[in-house]
Amino acid sequence: QVQLVESGGGLVQPGGSLRLSCAASGRIVSVNVMGWYRQAPGKKRELVATITTGLSTNYADSVKGRFAVSRDSAKNTVYLQMNSLKPEDTAVYYCNLRGLWETNFNYWGQGTQVTVSS
């Protein structure tokens, strides 16, 4: 079984920064995509950013230029550096790990709350 453990959420003022981390453990396929999604109250879960084992990245338009996703594959850990945070970034952020080729390999973290408010 695979487990994802997230950390780094919290309360921050507009314009501030936060860094999220997500560590995966268990039997993990070698070619995979790690990433972050978020869900605000009353809204659907949406993509924030992903990164492959080959370090290809993908970002939602709303976070381009403000957020940066990275990974340490040796530690099976993905990070999300969030800068210039806005109130509309407030959401529960979920870590995701999925196989690039294995469609049945898809795991989620428990979520971490990010609140941007003055």
Side-chain angles (χ1 to χ4, degrees):
Q1 192 60 281
V2 174
Q3 289 188 325
L4 302 177
V5 179
E6 299 141 338
S7 60
L11 173 64
V12 64
Q13 292 185 343
S17 298
L18 279 177
R19 188 188 194 214
L20 305 183
S21 300
C22 172
S25 61
R27 190 173 181 180
I28 300 169
V29 297
S30 58
V31 182
N32 59 65
V33 184
M34 298 189 80
W36 296 91
Y37 292 73
R38 67 187 181 187
Q39 188 167 18
K43 295 187 177 182
K44 293 182 179 180
R45 190 173 297 187
E46 63 177 7
L47 166 76
V48 177
T50 61
I51 183 168
T52 69
T53 44
L55 302 183
S56 294
T57 58
N58 184 40
Y59 292 92
D61 287 343
S62 59
V63 307
K64 284 181 181 177
R66 300 188 298 122
F67 291 11
V69 64
S70 60
R71 65 185 290 165
D72 183 337
S73 293
K75 296 181 179 179
N76 291 317
T77 300
V78 63
Y79 306 95
L80 184 68
Q81 179 66 44
M82 304 185 292
N83 300 324
S84 301
L85 282 160
K86 304 175 181 180
E88 51 263 43
D89 295 317
T90 295
V92 178
Y93 283 69
Y94 295 92
C95 176
N96 176 257
L97 168 62
R98 61 179 174 86
L100 190 59
W101 311 118
E102 297 86 348
T103 56
N104 61 343
F105 185 91
N106 189 15
Y107 294 91
W108 293 91
Q110 79 284 359
T112 185
Q113 177 70 45
V114 172
T115 302
V116 184
S117 175
S118 55

